[in-house]
């Protein structure tokens, strides 16, 4: 006879499904434009919300849930800020000082995004590996 509670496997599958949706969004939108960045930020917020709303009963999966929600929330914040900053460069003056300002902003944004992606990406990979390992264990 089985209990009424959801199995570890089905909880793992639900969490992995939402995490994979977020990862796909990032992979499909790398190197796109400002409007795409702003949309990606919004989409990642939706993924974060979806992860937080999963009703997981396994304590270890709840830890993964919290970790992944933080990862996608952080990515959303960084990408959103970068998108807004890039958008602001479009209103800069058409002078040499304005062009310099735009160039510096783009370099700062790019280096910020790269650093964030590496840090957050490593966290996500680590959590993903641990989640897969945990989910593949027999109960």
């Amino acid at each position: 006879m089985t209990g009424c509670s959801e199995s570890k496997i089905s909880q793992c599958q639900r969490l992995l499904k939402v995490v994979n949706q977020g990862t796909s969004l990032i992979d499909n939108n790398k190197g796109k434009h400002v409007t795409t960045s702003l949309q990606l930020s919004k989409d990642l917020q939706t993924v974060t919300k979806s992860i937080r709303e999963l009703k997981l009963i396994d304590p270890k999966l709840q830890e993964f849930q919290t970790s992944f929600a933080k990862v996608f929330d952080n990515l959303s914040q960084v990408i959103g800020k970068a998108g807004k900053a890039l958008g602001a460069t479009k209103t800069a003056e058409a002078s040499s000082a304005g062009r310099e300002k735009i160039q510096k902003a783009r370099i700062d944004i790019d280096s910020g995004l790269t650093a964030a992606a590496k840090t957050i990406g490593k966290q996500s990979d680590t959590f993903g590996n641990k989640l897969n390992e945990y989910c593949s264990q027999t109960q």
Side-chain angles (χ1 to χ4, degrees), residues 27-54:
D27 290 343
N28 293 334
N29 288 289
K30 284 181 181 169
K32 301 281 174 102
H33 302 290
V34 174
T35 52
T36 311
S37 296
L38 296 174
Q39 185 59 52
L40 177 58
S41 176
K42 288 178 189 173
D43 291 344
L44 290 174
Q45 274 303 312
T46 302
V47 169
T48 301
K49 184 176 183 229
S50 295
I51 290 172
R52 287 185 176 135
E53 290 175 349
L54 290 172

PDB file of all heavy atoms in Angstrom, residues 27-54:
ATOM      1  N   ASP A  27      20.081  29.910 -21.821  1.00  0.00           N
ATOM      2  CA  ASP A  27      20.843  29.412 -22.972  1.00  0.00           C
ATOM      3  C   ASP A  27      20.335  30.000 -24.286  1.00  0.00           C
ATOM      4  O   ASP A  27      21.118  30.331 -25.175  1.00  0.00           O
ATOM      5  CB  ASP A  27      20.783  27.886 -23.048  1.00  0.00           C
ATOM      6  CG  ASP A  27      21.575  27.232 -21.929  1.00  0.00           C
ATOM      7  OD1 ASP A  27      22.414  27.906 -21.295  1.00  0.00           O
ATOM      8  OD2 ASP A  27      21.344  26.029 -21.684  1.00  0.00           O
ATOM      9  N   ASN A  28      19.026  30.142 -24.422  1.00  0.00           N
ATOM     10  CA  ASN A  28      18.436  30.633 -25.670  1.00  0.00           C
ATOM     11  C   ASN A  28      18.554  32.139 -25.846  1.00  0.00           C
ATOM     12  O   ASN A  28      18.331  32.646 -26.933  1.00  0.00           O
ATOM     13  CB  ASN A  28      16.957  30.234 -25.754  1.00  0.00           C
ATOM     14  CG  ASN A  28      16.788  28.739 -25.882  1.00  0.00           C
ATOM     15  OD1 ASN A  28      17.664  28.044 -26.377  1.00  0.00           O
ATOM     16  ND2 ASN A  28      15.654  28.233 -25.429  1.00  0.00           N
ATOM     17  N   ASN A  29      18.895  32.873 -24.797  1.00  0.00           N
ATOM     18  CA  ASN A  29      18.934  34.330 -24.884  1.00  0.00           C
ATOM     19  C   ASN A  29      20.307  34.936 -24.679  1.00  0.00           C
ATOM     20  O   ASN A  29      20.426  36.141 -24.517  1.00  0.00           O
ATOM     21  CB  ASN A  29      17.956  34.929 -23.857  1.00  0.00           C
ATOM     22  CG  ASN A  29      16.527  34.714 -24.282  1.00  0.00           C
ATOM     23  OD1 ASN A  29      16.056  35.316 -25.222  1.00  0.00           O
ATOM     24  ND2 ASN A  29      15.840  33.823 -23.589  1.00  0.00           N
ATOM     25  N   LYS A  30      21.347  34.117 -24.694  1.00  0.00           N
ATOM     26  CA  LYS A  30      22.706  34.638 -24.521  1.00  0.00           C
ATOM     27  C   LYS A  30      23.051  35.571 -25.676  1.00  0.00           C
ATOM     28  O   LYS A  30      22.791  35.271 -26.826  1.00  0.00           O
ATOM     29  CB  LYS A  30      23.723  33.491 -24.478  1.00  0.00           C
ATOM     30  CG  LYS A  30      23.726  32.749 -23.168  1.00  0.00           C
ATOM     31  CD  LYS A  30      24.764  31.655 -23.193  1.00  0.00           C
ATOM     32  CE  LYS A  30      24.750  30.889 -21.892  1.00  0.00           C
ATOM     33  NZ  LYS A  30      25.535  29.673 -21.949  1.00  0.00           N
ATOM     34  N   GLY A  31      23.653  36.710 -25.319  1.00  0.00           N
ATOM     35  CA  GLY A  31      24.154  37.624 -26.335  1.00  0.00           C
ATOM     36  C   GLY A  31      23.085  38.358 -27.122  1.00  0.00           C
ATOM     37  O   GLY A  31      23.341  38.816 -28.222  1.00  0.00           O
ATOM     38  N   LYS A  32      21.894  38.500 -26.571  1.00  0.00           N
ATOM     39  CA  LYS A  32      20.825  39.205 -27.289  1.00  0.00           C
ATOM     40  C   LYS A  32      20.802  40.675 -26.883  1.00  0.00           C
ATOM     41  O   LYS A  32      21.667  41.151 -26.167  1.00  0.00           O
ATOM     42  CB  LYS A  32      19.474  38.532 -26.998  1.00  0.00           C
ATOM     43  CG  LYS A  32      19.418  37.068 -27.397  1.00  0.00           C
ATOM     44  CD  LYS A  32      19.215  36.897 -28.862  1.00  0.00           C
ATOM     45  CE  LYS A  32      19.295  35.444 -29.281  1.00  0.00           C
ATOM     46  NZ  LYS A  32      18.075  34.793 -29.516  1.00  0.00           N
ATOM     47  N   HIS A  33      19.784  41.394 -27.300  1.00  0.00           N
ATOM     48  CA  HIS A  33      19.707  42.840 -27.127  1.00  0.00           C
ATOM     49  C   HIS A  33      19.050  43.260 -25.817  1.00  0.00           C
ATOM     50  O   HIS A  33      18.584  42.439 -25.039  1.00  0.00           O
ATOM     51  CB  HIS A  33      18.946  43.443 -28.311  1.00  0.00           C
ATOM     52  CG  HIS A  33      19.595  43.117 -29.621  1.00  0.00           C
ATOM     53  ND1 HIS A  33      20.794  43.640 -30.013  1.00  0.00           N
ATOM     54  CD2 HIS A  33      19.226  42.270 -30.611  1.00  0.00           C
ATOM     55  CE1 HIS A  33      21.124  43.153 -31.189  1.00  0.00           C
ATOM     56  NE2 HIS A  33      20.187  42.308 -31.576  1.00  0.00           N
ATOM     57  N   VAL A  34      18.983  44.584 -25.625  1.00  0.00           N
ATOM     58  CA  VAL A  34      18.440  45.175 -24.409  1.00  0.00           C
ATOM     59  C   VAL A  34      17.028  44.684 -24.120  1.00  0.00           C
ATOM     60  O   VAL A  34      16.727  44.224 -23.018  1.00  0.00           O
ATOM     61  CB  VAL A  34      18.446  46.717 -24.510  1.00  0.00           C
ATOM     62  CG1 VAL A  34      17.750  47.335 -23.310  1.00  0.00           C
ATOM     63  CG2 VAL A  34      19.858  47.234 -24.619  1.00  0.00           C
ATOM     64  N   THR A  35      16.145  44.762 -25.114  1.00  0.00           N
ATOM     65  CA  THR A  35      14.752  44.371 -24.871  1.00  0.00           C
ATOM     66  C   THR A  35      14.666  42.896 -24.512  1.00  0.00           C
ATOM     67  O   THR A  35      13.878  42.511 -23.662  1.00  0.00           O
ATOM     68  CB  THR A  35      13.863  44.658 -26.098  1.00  0.00           C
ATOM     69  OG1 THR A  35      14.464  44.064 -27.246  1.00  0.00           O
ATOM     70  CG2 THR A  35      13.699  46.138 -26.316  1.00  0.00           C
ATOM     71  N   THR A  36      15.524  42.103 -25.127  1.00  0.00           N
ATOM     72  CA  THR A  36      15.549  40.678 -24.813  1.00  0.00           C
ATOM     73  C   THR A  36      16.030  40.475 -23.383  1.00  0.00           C
ATOM     74  O   THR A  36      15.501  39.628 -22.664  1.00  0.00           O
ATOM     75  CB  THR A  36      16.475  39.926 -25.781  1.00  0.00           C
ATOM     76  OG1 THR A  36      16.156  40.292 -27.111  1.00  0.00           O
ATOM     77  CG2 THR A  36      16.341  38.439 -25.632  1.00  0.00           C
ATOM     78  N   SER A  37      17.020  41.267 -22.958  1.00  0.00           N
ATOM     79  CA  SER A  37      17.533  41.157 -21.593  1.00  0.00           C
ATOM     80  C   SER A  37      16.450  41.488 -20.574  1.00  0.00           C
ATOM     81  O   SER A  37      16.308  40.805 -19.560  1.00  0.00           O
ATOM     82  CB  SER A  37      18.724  42.103 -21.379  1.00  0.00           C
ATOM     83  OG  SER A  37      19.779  41.727 -22.212  1.00  0.00           O
ATOM     84  N   LEU A  38      15.704  42.539 -20.854  1.00  0.00           N
ATOM     85  CA  LEU A  38      14.637  42.920 -19.930  1.00  0.00           C
ATOM     86  C   LEU A  38      13.563  41.839 -19.871  1.00  0.00           C
ATOM     87  O   LEU A  38      13.056  41.517 -18.794  1.00  0.00           O
ATOM     88  CB  LEU A  38      14.044  44.272 -20.323  1.00  0.00           C
ATOM     89  CG  LEU A  38      15.008  45.459 -20.226  1.00  0.00           C
ATOM     90  CD1 LEU A  38      14.374  46.729 -20.775  1.00  0.00           C
ATOM     91  CD2 LEU A  38      15.482  45.658 -18.794  1.00  0.00           C
ATOM     92  N   GLN A  39      13.230  41.252 -21.014  1.00  0.00           N
ATOM     93  CA  GLN A  39      12.245  40.177 -21.040  1.00  0.00           C
ATOM     94  C   GLN A  39      12.784  38.937 -20.334  1.00  0.00           C
ATOM     95  O   GLN A  39      12.066  38.273 -19.588  1.00  0.00           O
ATOM     96  CB  GLN A  39      11.833  39.844 -22.475  1.00  0.00           C
ATOM     97  CG  GLN A  39      10.708  38.812 -22.555  1.00  0.00           C
ATOM     98  CD  GLN A  39       9.443  39.256 -21.831  1.00  0.00           C
ATOM     99  OE1 GLN A  39       8.947  40.348 -22.059  1.00  0.00           O
ATOM    100  NE2 GLN A  39       8.930  38.416 -20.950  1.00  0.00           N
ATOM    101  N   LEU A  40      14.052  38.634 -20.562  1.00  0.00           N
ATOM    102  CA  LEU A  40      14.669  37.486 -19.895  1.00  0.00           C
ATOM    103  C   LEU A  40      14.624  37.674 -18.384  1.00  0.00           C
ATOM    104  O   LEU A  40      14.325  36.733 -17.647  1.00  0.00           O
ATOM    105  CB  LEU A  40      16.119  37.296 -20.372  1.00  0.00           C
ATOM    106  CG  LEU A  40      16.919  36.186 -19.708  1.00  0.00           C
ATOM    107  CD1 LEU A  40      16.243  34.827 -19.862  1.00  0.00           C
ATOM    108  CD2 LEU A  40      18.336  36.147 -20.277  1.00  0.00           C
ATOM    109  N   SER A  41      14.890  38.876 -17.922  1.00  0.00           N
ATOM    110  CA  SER A  41      14.829  39.162 -16.490  1.00  0.00           C
ATOM    111  C   SER A  41      13.428  38.877 -15.944  1.00  0.00           C
ATOM    112  O   SER A  41      13.279  38.227 -14.896  1.00  0.00           O
ATOM    113  CB  SER A  41      15.211  40.622 -16.237  1.00  0.00           C
ATOM    114  OG  SER A  41      15.059  40.937 -14.879  1.00  0.00           O
ATOM    115  N   LYS A  42      12.410  39.317 -16.666  1.00  0.00           N
ATOM    116  CA  LYS A  42      11.023  39.058 -16.251  1.00  0.00           C
ATOM    117  C   LYS A  42      10.714  37.561 -16.273  1.00  0.00           C
ATOM    118  O   LYS A  42      10.074  37.033 -15.362  1.00  0.00           O
ATOM    119  CB  LYS A  42      10.041  39.794 -17.168  1.00  0.00           C
ATOM    120  CG  LYS A  42      10.025  41.283 -16.971  1.00  0.00           C
ATOM    121  CD  LYS A  42       9.060  41.939 -17.947  1.00  0.00           C
ATOM    122  CE  LYS A  42       9.188  43.446 -17.908  1.00  0.00           C
ATOM    123  NZ  LYS A  42       8.393  44.097 -18.948  1.00  0.00           N
ATOM    124  N   ASP A  43      11.166  36.883 -17.326  1.00  0.00           N
ATOM    125  CA  ASP A  43      10.924  35.443 -17.444  1.00  0.00           C
ATOM    126  C   ASP A  43      11.604  34.669 -16.312  1.00  0.00           C
ATOM    127  O   ASP A  43      11.045  33.701 -15.789  1.00  0.00           O
ATOM    128  CB  ASP A  43      11.411  34.918 -18.797  1.00  0.00           C
ATOM    129  CG  ASP A  43      10.571  35.428 -19.961  1.00  0.00           C
ATOM    130  OD1 ASP A  43       9.453  35.938 -19.729  1.00  0.00           O
ATOM    131  OD2 ASP A  43      11.051  35.327 -21.104  1.00  0.00           O
ATOM    132  N   LEU A  44      12.808  35.108 -15.928  1.00  0.00           N
ATOM    133  CA  LEU A  44      13.508  34.439 -14.836  1.00  0.00           C
ATOM    134  C   LEU A  44      12.811  34.688 -13.500  1.00  0.00           C
ATOM    135  O   LEU A  44      12.833  33.836 -12.616  1.00  0.00           O
ATOM    136  CB  LEU A  44      14.972  34.880 -14.778  1.00  0.00           C
ATOM    137  CG  LEU A  44      15.839  34.364 -15.931  1.00  0.00           C
ATOM    138  CD1 LEU A  44      17.233  34.971 -15.871  1.00  0.00           C
ATOM    139  CD2 LEU A  44      15.909  32.847 -15.928  1.00  0.00           C
ATOM    140  N   GLN A  45      12.174  35.847 -13.365  1.00  0.00           N
ATOM    141  CA  GLN A  45      11.376  36.103 -12.158  1.00  0.00           C
ATOM    142  C   GLN A  45      10.199  35.134 -12.096  1.00  0.00           C
ATOM    143  O   GLN A  45       9.841  34.649 -11.023  1.00  0.00           O
ATOM    144  CB  GLN A  45      10.881  37.555 -12.119  1.00  0.00           C
ATOM    145  CG  GLN A  45      11.855  38.518 -11.529  1.00  0.00           C
ATOM    146  CD  GLN A  45      12.271  38.149 -10.112  1.00  0.00           C
ATOM    147  OE1 GLN A  45      11.459  37.848  -9.253  1.00  0.00           O
ATOM    148  NE2 GLN A  45      13.571  38.161  -9.874  1.00  0.00           N
ATOM    149  N   THR A  46       9.611  34.863 -13.255  1.00  0.00           N
ATOM    150  CA  THR A  46       8.505  33.901 -13.324  1.00  0.00           C
ATOM    151  C   THR A  46       8.990  32.507 -12.924  1.00  0.00           C
ATOM    152  O   THR A  46       8.311  31.782 -12.183  1.00  0.00           O
ATOM    153  CB  THR A  46       7.899  33.883 -14.739  1.00  0.00           C
ATOM    154  OG1 THR A  46       7.447  35.201 -15.052  1.00  0.00           O
ATOM    155  CG2 THR A  46       6.738  32.918 -14.845  1.00  0.00           C
ATOM    156  N   VAL A  47      10.180  32.133 -13.402  1.00  0.00           N
ATOM    157  CA  VAL A  47      10.761  30.837 -13.043  1.00  0.00           C
ATOM    158  C   VAL A  47      11.020  30.790 -11.532  1.00  0.00           C
ATOM    159  O   VAL A  47      10.702  29.794 -10.874  1.00  0.00           O
ATOM    160  CB  VAL A  47      12.068  30.573 -13.836  1.00  0.00           C
ATOM    161  CG1 VAL A  47      12.816  29.368 -13.279  1.00  0.00           C
ATOM    162  CG2 VAL A  47      11.759  30.374 -15.310  1.00  0.00           C
ATOM    163  N   THR A  48      11.567  31.873 -10.993  1.00  0.00           N
ATOM    164  CA  THR A  48      11.833  31.950  -9.551  1.00  0.00           C
ATOM    165  C   THR A  48      10.549  31.737  -8.769  1.00  0.00           C
ATOM    166  O   THR A  48      10.507  30.952  -7.813  1.00  0.00           O
ATOM    167  CB  THR A  48      12.446  33.321  -9.184  1.00  0.00           C
ATOM    168  OG1 THR A  48      13.654  33.499  -9.918  1.00  0.00           O
ATOM    169  CG2 THR A  48      12.738  33.425  -7.699  1.00  0.00           C
ATOM    170  N   LYS A  49       9.493  32.400  -9.201  1.00  0.00           N
ATOM    171  CA  LYS A  49       8.196  32.276  -8.534  1.00  0.00           C
ATOM    172  C   LYS A  49       7.678  30.834  -8.637  1.00  0.00           C
ATOM    173  O   LYS A  49       7.182  30.264  -7.656  1.00  0.00           O
ATOM    174  CB  LYS A  49       7.203  33.248  -9.170  1.00  0.00           C
ATOM    175  CG  LYS A  49       5.855  33.278  -8.490  1.00  0.00           C
ATOM    176  CD  LYS A  49       4.948  34.333  -9.122  1.00  0.00           C
ATOM    177  CE  LYS A  49       3.636  34.378  -8.366  1.00  0.00           C
ATOM    178  NZ  LYS A  49       2.490  34.325  -9.213  1.00  0.00           N
ATOM    179  N   SER A  50       7.816  30.246  -9.819  1.00  0.00           N
ATOM    180  CA  SER A  50       7.370  28.859 -10.019  1.00  0.00           C
ATOM    181  C   SER A  50       8.122  27.897  -9.105  1.00  0.00           C
ATOM    182  O   SER A  50       7.533  26.965  -8.548  1.00  0.00           O
ATOM    183  CB  SER A  50       7.564  28.438 -11.469  1.00  0.00           C
ATOM    184  OG  SER A  50       6.750  29.193 -12.325  1.00  0.00           O
ATOM    185  N   ILE A  51       9.421  28.123  -8.956  1.00  0.00           N
ATOM    186  CA  ILE A  51      10.223  27.261  -8.085  1.00  0.00           C
ATOM    187  C   ILE A  51       9.749  27.418  -6.638  1.00  0.00           C
ATOM    188  O   ILE A  51       9.546  26.429  -5.934  1.00  0.00           O
ATOM    189  CB  ILE A  51      11.731  27.591  -8.208  1.00  0.00           C
ATOM    190  CG1 ILE A  51      12.267  27.147  -9.582  1.00  0.00           C
ATOM    191  CG2 ILE A  51      12.529  26.917  -7.081  1.00  0.00           C
ATOM    192  CD1 ILE A  51      13.676  27.589  -9.882  1.00  0.00           C
ATOM    193  N   ARG A  52       9.552  28.658  -6.218  1.00  0.00           N
ATOM    194  CA  ARG A  52       9.121  28.908  -4.832  1.00  0.00           C
ATOM    195  C   ARG A  52       7.745  28.320  -4.545  1.00  0.00           C
ATOM    196  O   ARG A  52       7.458  27.959  -3.412  1.00  0.00           O
ATOM    197  CB  ARG A  52       9.109  30.407  -4.549  1.00  0.00           C
ATOM    198  CG  ARG A  52      10.499  30.983  -4.407  1.00  0.00           C
ATOM    199  CD  ARG A  52      10.476  32.435  -4.007  1.00  0.00           C
ATOM    200  NE  ARG A  52      11.840  32.906  -3.785  1.00  0.00           N
ATOM    201  CZ  ARG A  52      12.309  34.048  -4.226  1.00  0.00           C
ATOM    202  NH1 ARG A  52      11.537  34.885  -4.884  1.00  0.00           N
ATOM    203  NH2 ARG A  52      13.549  34.403  -3.986  1.00  0.00           N
ATOM    204  N   GLU A  53       6.893  28.249  -5.551  1.00  0.00           N
ATOM    205  CA  GLU A  53       5.527  27.771  -5.349  1.00  0.00           C
ATOM    206  C   GLU A  53       5.392  26.253  -5.371  1.00  0.00           C
ATOM    207  O   GLU A  53       4.324  25.729  -5.065  1.00  0.00           O
ATOM    208  CB  GLU A  53       4.590  28.390  -6.406  1.00  0.00           C
ATOM    209  CG  GLU A  53       4.369  29.869  -6.184  1.00  0.00           C
ATOM    210  CD  GLU A  53       3.540  30.519  -7.279  1.00  0.00           C
ATOM    211  OE1 GLU A  53       3.301  29.887  -8.334  1.00  0.00           O
ATOM    212  OE2 GLU A  53       3.149  31.676  -7.081  1.00  0.00           O
ATOM    213  N   LEU A  54       6.462  25.546  -5.730  1.00  0.00           N
ATOM    214  CA  LEU A  54       6.403  24.084  -5.703  1.00  0.00           C
ATOM    215  C   LEU A  54       6.172  23.635  -4.268  1.00  0.00           C
ATOM    216  O   LEU A  54       6.834  24.097  -3.349  1.00  0.00           O
ATOM    217  CB  LEU A  54       7.714  23.480  -6.225  1.00  0.00           C
ATOM    218  CG  LEU A  54       8.008  23.632  -7.707  1.00  0.00           C
ATOM    219  CD1 LEU A  54       9.427  23.149  -8.007  1.00  0.00           C
ATOM    220  CD2 LEU A  54       7.003  22.874  -8.539  1.00  0.00           C
TER     221      LEU A  54
END
